[in-house]
């Protein structure tokens, strides 16, 4: 197959480029083509003629989106629409990366793919609207929602915690937001399988299991063999511009229907920390 990745320089994009073997893969950075520019996108797709486009490009600064609403919608929604139109025009399949932040987090059991969207941040709104528009333009597209990405080659939570632990004997981390940490390498492998199967519709793809950021931080410190004390705190003590869901665990059922099982996040974290040393 011929594969085109938009967002190839991002955390997930790098993992996709690294993991995707036996197919012809072309990756684009924003400098190669800005997805906000319909003509540029169409030209790139026309030239590459991919069987599949993986759209991992996004404006992912969740707090930045709150103060840059237009930019968030331009990139995450209108940019995604440009890619979907180009895919339709040139006969490519599309896999779009979306987020657990399309949900408000008021549930206490894992979100299923057919749960109604209820975003509570600008970022979540921009991705939720993109999901709706893309399914209108390309009803056969595949929308992969994921969460709490970590991995090599980008800014991620384990790196932040380990960096802080270098200079601080104690860390405070919020314990009232629950989700599923997801290793970019494991997600890339799941995406490759989904494309090879010709998947369509909404799929939830995260590492198995869930935790709070506090539990995640404790596990990072323990796995790295550090003595740093991690204390639990609450979101109201760490007020940030964007509201985060309290609970955004995504059910693995849709992925399992494709015969794909992602490892537990603890296993994924160990592998990430090993490759980091
Ligand atoms: N990170 C998470 O925790 C998380 C959670 C849930 C869902 N997701 C979704 O997963 C996907 C991948 O996330 P990520 O963390 O890998 O993202 P990332 O590291 O922030 O990378 C973003 C990528 O998008 C590209 N990009 C940004 N604006 C662009 C534009 N206007 N035109 C073309 N390319 C543009 C960037 O290119 P340059 O670097 O070349 O500028 C970069 O390759 C995104 O769709 C995101 O919404 C992420």
């Amino acid at each position: 197959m011929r594969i085109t990745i938009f967002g190839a320089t991002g955390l997930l994009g790098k993992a996709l480029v690294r993991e995707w073997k036996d197919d012809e893969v072309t990756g684009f950075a924003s400098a190669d083509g800005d997805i906000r520019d319909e003509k540029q996108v169409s030209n790139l797709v026309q030239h590459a003629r991919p069987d599949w486009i993986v759209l991992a490009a996004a404006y992912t600064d969740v707090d930045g989106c709150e103060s840059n609403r237009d930019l968030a919608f331009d990139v995450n929604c209108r940019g995604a629409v440009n890619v979907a139109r180009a895919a339709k025009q040139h006969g490519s399949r599309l896999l779009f990366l979306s987020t657990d932040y399309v949900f408000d987090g008021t549930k206490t059991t894992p979100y299923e793919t057919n749960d109604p969207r209820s975003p509570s941040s600008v970022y979540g709104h921009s991705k939720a609207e993109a999901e709706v528009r893309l399914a209108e333009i390309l009803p056969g597209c595949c929308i992969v929602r994921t969460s709490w990405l970590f991995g090599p080659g980008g800014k991620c939570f384990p790196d932040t915690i380990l960096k802080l632990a270098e200079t601080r004997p104690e860390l405070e981390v919020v314990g009232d937001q629950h989700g599923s940490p997801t290793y970019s390498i494991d997600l890339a492998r799941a995406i490759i399988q989904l494309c090879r199967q010709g998947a369509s519709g909404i799929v939830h793809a995260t590492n198995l299991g869930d935790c709070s950021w506090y539990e995640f931080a404790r596990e990072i410190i323990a796995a790295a063999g550090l003595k740093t004390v991690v204390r639990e705190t609450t979101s109201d003590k760490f007020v940030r511009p964007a509201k985060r869901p309290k609970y955004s665990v995504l059910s693995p059922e849709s992925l399992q229907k494709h015969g794909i099982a992602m490892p537990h996040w603890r296993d994924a974290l160990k592998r990430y920390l090993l490759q980091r040393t």
Side-chain angles (χ1 to χ4, degrees):
M1 293 195 295
R2 273 196 304 275
I3 311 295
T4 288
I5 299 165
F6 284 96
T9 43
L11 193 64
L12 175 61
K14 283 180 184 155
L16 282 165
V17 170
R18 191 177 119 177
E19 291 299 312
W20 213 313
K21 313 260 160 43
D22 306 324
D23 286 307
E24 198 184 306
V25 179
T26 310
F28 295 125
S30 60
D32 301 314
D34 189 325
I35 60 169
R36 291 172 293 178
D37 184 329
E38 189 171 2
K39 188 76 196 142
Q40 262 186 33
V41 171
S42 177
N43 286 343
L44 285 175
V45 175
Q46 185 181 20
H47 189 251
R49 293 252 163 218
D51 298 293
W52 274 96
I53 297 173
V54 178
L55 177 49
Y59 177 40
T60 58
D61 178 351
V62 176
D63 289 322
C65 285
E66 293 298 308
S67 46
N68 296 291
R69 191 186 171 87
D70 288 349
L71 179 61
F73 274 83
D74 278 348
V75 178
N76 295 346
C77 186
R78 284 181 276 277
V81 164
N82 289 339
V83 176
R85 287 195 179 127
K88 187 171 183 173
Q89 193 184 353
H90 301 293
S92 307
R93 300 287 316 275
L94 175 65
L95 185 147
F96 170 66
L97 268 301
S98 190
T99 168
D100 54 330
Y101 284 16
V102 299
F103 299 119
D104 61 12
T106 49
K107 266 187 88 173
T108 51
T109 55
Y111 280 93
E112 301 295 341
T113 52
N114 60 357
D115 277 323
R117 299 173 186 89
S118 52
S120 48
S121 61
V122 170
Y123 171 73
H125 272 286
S126 67
K127 298 293 273 190
E129 195 172 314
E131 288 188 0
V132 175
R133 298 285 306 278
L134 264 48
E136 284 166 4
I137 297 165
L138 282 175
C141 76
C142 184
I143 294 170
V144 175
R145 293 185 185 135
T146 190
S147 63
W148 293 24
L149 274 190
F150 66 93
K155 199 174 148 234
C156 72
F157 186 75
D159 289 6
T160 306
I161 290 297
L162 293 174
K163 181 97 192 123
L164 289 172
E166 281 173 14
T167 54
R168 297 190 198 172
E170 274 188 28
L171 301 176
E172 281 202 330
V173 183
V174 297
D176 57 358
Q177 292 170 28
H178 279 78
S180 299
T182 302
Y183 187 25
S184 58
I185 299 290
D186 289 344
L187 177 60
R189 290 175 183 159
I191 287 171
I192 294 164
Q193 289 186 67
L194 286 170
C195 290
R196 290 192 175 141
Q197 290 181 24
S200 62
I202 301 175
V203 179
H204 286 174
T206 68
N207 278 119
L208 279 182
D210 63 83
C211 60
S212 67
W213 290 112
Y214 161 71
E215 290 163 335
F216 192 18
R218 276 186 57 142
E219 193 73 20
I220 294 161
I221 293 294
L226 301 174
K227 299 262 175 293
T228 314
V229 176
V230 184
R231 296 201 189 284
E232 187 170 2
T233 186
T234 48
S235 305
D236 57 350
K237 306 228 170 59
F238 268 93
V239 180
R240 297 166 80 182
K243 196 172 167 205
R244 265 84 173 163
K246 292 259 181 253
Y247 178 92
S248 62
V249 180
L250 303 176
S251 164
E253 208 180 297
S254 52
L255 196 63
Q256 286 164 352
K257 277 190 188 145
H258 289 275
I260 302 170
M262 287 176 65
H264 196 279
W265 67 263
R266 282 201 172 87
D267 170 83
L269 176 65
K270 284 200 188 100
R271 282 181 286 125
Y272 172 56
L273 294 179
L274 264 179
Q275 71 79 49
R276 206 174 164 270
T277 50

